[in-house]
Amino acid sequence: DAGITQSPRHKVTETGTPVTLRCHQTENHRYMYWYRQDPGHGLRLIHYSYGVKDTDKGEVSDGYSVSRSKTEDFLLTLESATSSQTSVYFCAISILANEQFFGPGTRLTVL
Amino acid sequence: QKEVEQDPGPLSVPEGAIVSLNCTYSNSAFQYFMWYRQYSRKGPELLMYTYSSGNKEDGRFTAQVDKSSKYISLFIRDSQPSDSATYLCAMNSGGSNYKLTFGKGTLLTVNP
């Protein structure tokens, strides 16, 4: 899994609660990404980072925020979880912007 | 028109068959093309990575890119039950563009 871990791997939470997902890499890659994967929509980019403290929005960023205080960690926060955010979340890393390697995923259920 | 189109399948073949998976795209700026394999309940795994037009071979897998037709293919020779997975194409224009555009994936089953 290209030296990428995600935690937690599974989470069930209630609507309105904040949730933070963690991506940790041991590869020292510059770029990190958060995606969500849903049936019928495929993989969609939520946010990405091109360096420590350097982040930007992807195509489905509403309701999500990110932080990257260290090269190895990229955090995704759902500020107030909604049922529409029930999904599988993948972190990815890359040296260059295009060749991305994915983590094992986090299955999130919002009740 | 969607940027990347991929037939979702499902595609079911007997063991040993040659499999052809395809994607079409509309953005002529795309230069980098990838194929990912995703087993059930796992993360996507980068399988093939090509730049511009041409062929690339790796074992039983061959990736083809035809930029003039905006068409990419992945061929699997001597398919095995272990090849059963969802295959995702992805592409981007490179440079400072960080966004990969994915197809929605084709579900392949190889029957023993």
Side-chain angles (χ1 to χ4, degrees):
Chain A
D1 287 329
I4 309 169
T5 57
Q6 292 185 232
S7 58
R9 294 292 314 278
H10 302 270
K11 186 170 182 67
V12 179
T13 192
E14 294 190 349
T15 298
T17 60
V19 176
T20 295
L21 309 182
R22 180 183 184 231
C23 177
H24 178 78
Q25 60 149 329
T26 58
E27 306 294 326
N28 202 35
H29 285 0
R30 177 181 177 187
Y31 300 98
M32 298 186 76
Y33 312 81
W34 276 108
Y35 290 87
R36 60 179 291 176
Q37 187 174 39
D38 305 285
H41 292 279
L43 279 161
R44 293 181 290 175
L45 182 65
I46 305 171
H47 281 280
Y48 61 94
S49 169
Y50 44 95
V52 173
K53 299 192 189 304
D54 291 323
T55 65
D56 208 344
K57 296 178 179 180
E59 61 185 298
V60 289
S61 60
D62 287 348
Y64 301 95
S65 62
V66 290
S67 64
R68 192 171 177 197
S69 59
K70 298 185 290 185
T71 299
E72 58 266 34
D73 289 325
F74 193 31
L75 304 180
L76 176 71
T77 297
L78 287 64
E79 294 141 10
S80 178
T82 68
S83 58
S84 65
Q85 293 176 312
T86 292
S87 186
V88 182
Y89 292 86
F90 290 103
C91 174
I93 64 174
S94 65
I95 297 175
L96 302 173
N98 36 43
E99 195 173 359
Q100 296 180 16
F101 300 92
F102 285 79
T106 293
R107 292 189 169 270
L108 177 68
T109 301
V110 183
L111 301 176
Chain B
Q1 181 186 11
K2 294 179 182 174
E3 270 198 304
V4 178
E5 299 269 12
Q6 183 175 10
D7 186 338
L11 183 60
S12 181
V13 302
E15 184 175 353
I18 297 175
V19 176
S20 172
L21 304 167
N22 312 292
C23 289
T24 59
Y25 63 95
S26 58
N27 187 345
S28 59
F30 287 149
Q31 298 187 75
Y32 297 88
F33 304 91
M34 285 136 273
W35 285 96
Y36 286 85
R37 177 175 63 195
Q38 185 174 22
Y39 291 115
S40 179
R41 305 180 78 85
K42 301 287 187 183
E45 169 194 9
L46 183 61
L47 199 57
M48 299 288 281
Y49 172 80
T50 54
Y51 169 70
S52 195
S53 285
N55 292 2
K56 184 175 183 178
E57 188 173 321
D58 184 2
R60 297 184 294 109
F61 299 89
T62 299
Q64 283 187 352
V65 175
D66 182 349
K67 290 186 70 179
S68 62
S69 301
K70 298 189 180 67
Y71 188 87
I72 69 169
S73 300
L74 177 71
F75 297 95
I76 307 174
R77 291 184 299 281
D78 187 26
S79 56
Q80 302 296 309
S82 59
D83 296 326
S84 298
T86 296
Y87 290 80
L88 304 159
C89 63
M91 49 198 78
N92 92 341
S93 56
S96 61
N97 182 358
Y98 305 101
K99 182 177 179 293
L100 283 184
T101 301
F102 284 88
K104 292 186 178 178
T106 300
L107 177 61
L108 171 68
T109 301
V110 181
N111 301 299

